[in-house]
Amino acid sequence: ETGVTQSPTHLIKTRGQQVTLRCSSQSGHNTVSWYQQALGQGPQFIFQYYREEENGRGNFPPRFSGLQFPNYSSELNVNALELDDSALYLCASSLGPAGTSTDTQYFGPGTRLTVL
Amino acid sequence: QKEVEQNSGPLSVPEGAIASLNCTYSDRGSQSFFWYRQYSGKSPELIMSIYSNGDKEDGRFTAQLNKASQYVSLLIRDSQPSDSATYLCAVRSNTGGFKTIFGAGTRLFVKA
């Protein structure tokens, strides 16, 4: 049990729709990262937020966007869904910035998104 | 060249043996290195973190880091069937913004 929760557990959408996924970090964790994990692959880094500001982004198009709130919750929004967006979406929270012993990330259980 | 590379496996070892998992990375600015275990259908679970060159031991697990060779490894001693899972190597850096890159994972099977 990492103390990181995600909702919903599963979600089915159709191509072209928009989706919002939610994450609640451990209390006090200022950094949250979102990942996309396709079947049989490692997690792919989407972006990272630190104190409500995006401070790192992977190779994902702008239709992937996020928000982080002061209450340690965050959202991942995906617009104009494509079939290839079907994956497990993971959020992970950590206490501090990279390069310190406080940047260990703890993962939530994930949201399984299926795009039809 | 992939940013973080792992042998996909599967790696099969008998119960009680040592399992050796390897990972190489390309970004010399990387600062933090992690090993996660992931069971099928579950999210990654942290096993070890390592930040400086050398070995770090935690129970049956030992992580080794060599920044000059851009190499990270994980040794699992006295392997148990319950260790059968996919092991993910992750590297964090702030080159061009903060990011965490995962390898594709190595599948480990421990035979009873």
Side-chain angles (χ1 to χ4, degrees):
Chain A
E1 214 35 69
T2 63
V4 181
T5 60
Q6 292 186 245
S7 63
T9 305
H10 296 89
L11 198 54
I12 299 175
K13 291 286 190 177
T14 56
R15 194 171 50 182
Q17 284 189 311
Q18 179 267 342
V19 69
T20 297
L21 309 181
R22 293 180 173 83
C23 171
S24 181
S25 303
Q26 283 193 29
S27 180
H29 280 199
N30 293 311
T31 300
V32 65
S33 300
W34 284 90
Y35 298 86
Q36 179 195 69
Q37 187 174 25
L39 206 58
Q41 302 295 317
Q44 299 295 308
F45 176 69
I46 302 175
F47 45 57
Q48 175 178 297
Y49 278 77
Y50 176 68
R51 292 184 173 177
E52 303 164 50
E53 296 286 334
E54 184 183 297
N55 68 350
R57 190 175 183 93
N59 296 324
F60 280 81
R63 62 188 183 86
F64 286 78
S65 63
L67 287 171
Q68 185 185 26
F69 303 101
N71 65 351
Y72 306 113
S73 67
S74 61
E75 293 179 351
L76 165 65
N77 298 289
V78 188
N79 293 323
L81 283 167
E82 301 176 359
L83 298 179
D84 285 349
D85 295 334
S86 296
L88 179 68
Y89 287 85
L90 297 160
C91 76
S93 73
S94 58
L95 183 59
T100 70
S101 60
T102 60
D103 79 342
T104 301
Q105 293 185 97
Y106 297 94
F107 281 85
T111 293
R112 174 74 60 187
L113 173 64
T114 302
V115 182
L116 302 176
Chain B
Q1 180 190 9
K2 291 183 180 178
E3 293 184 81
V4 177
E5 294 206 58
Q6 298 181 250
N7 290 328
S8 61
L11 173 66
S12 184
V13 300
E15 185 175 359
I18 296 175
S20 178
L21 305 164
N22 304 314
C23 172
T24 58
Y25 61 94
S26 60
D27 182 358
R28 286 194 171 274
S30 300
Q31 300 164 295
S32 311
F33 307 86
F34 305 91
W35 284 98
Y36 287 87
R37 176 173 62 197
Q38 188 173 29
Y39 294 111
S40 181
K42 301 293 186 181
S43 63
E45 170 193 7
L46 179 72
I47 299 176
M48 295 281 285
S49 59
I50 187 165
Y51 301 88
S52 54
N53 284 328
D55 295 359
K56 179 180 179 182
E57 185 175 320
D58 184 0
R60 296 187 296 114
F61 301 97
T62 299
Q64 299 173 316
L65 173 62
N66 183 326
K67 290 186 178 180
S69 300
Q70 296 172 252
Y71 175 87
V72 192
S73 68
L74 180 70
L75 297 177
I76 306 175
R77 290 181 298 281
D78 188 24
S79 295
Q80 301 298 307
S82 59
D83 294 328
S84 297
T86 295
Y87 288 79
L88 299 163
C89 172
V91 177
R92 273 166 81 80
S93 76
N94 64 356
T95 304
F98 288 102
K99 61 182 178 181
T100 305
I101 306 300
F102 278 79
T106 299
R107 292 196 68 188
L108 172 67
F109 291 103
V110 181
K111 299 174 293 185

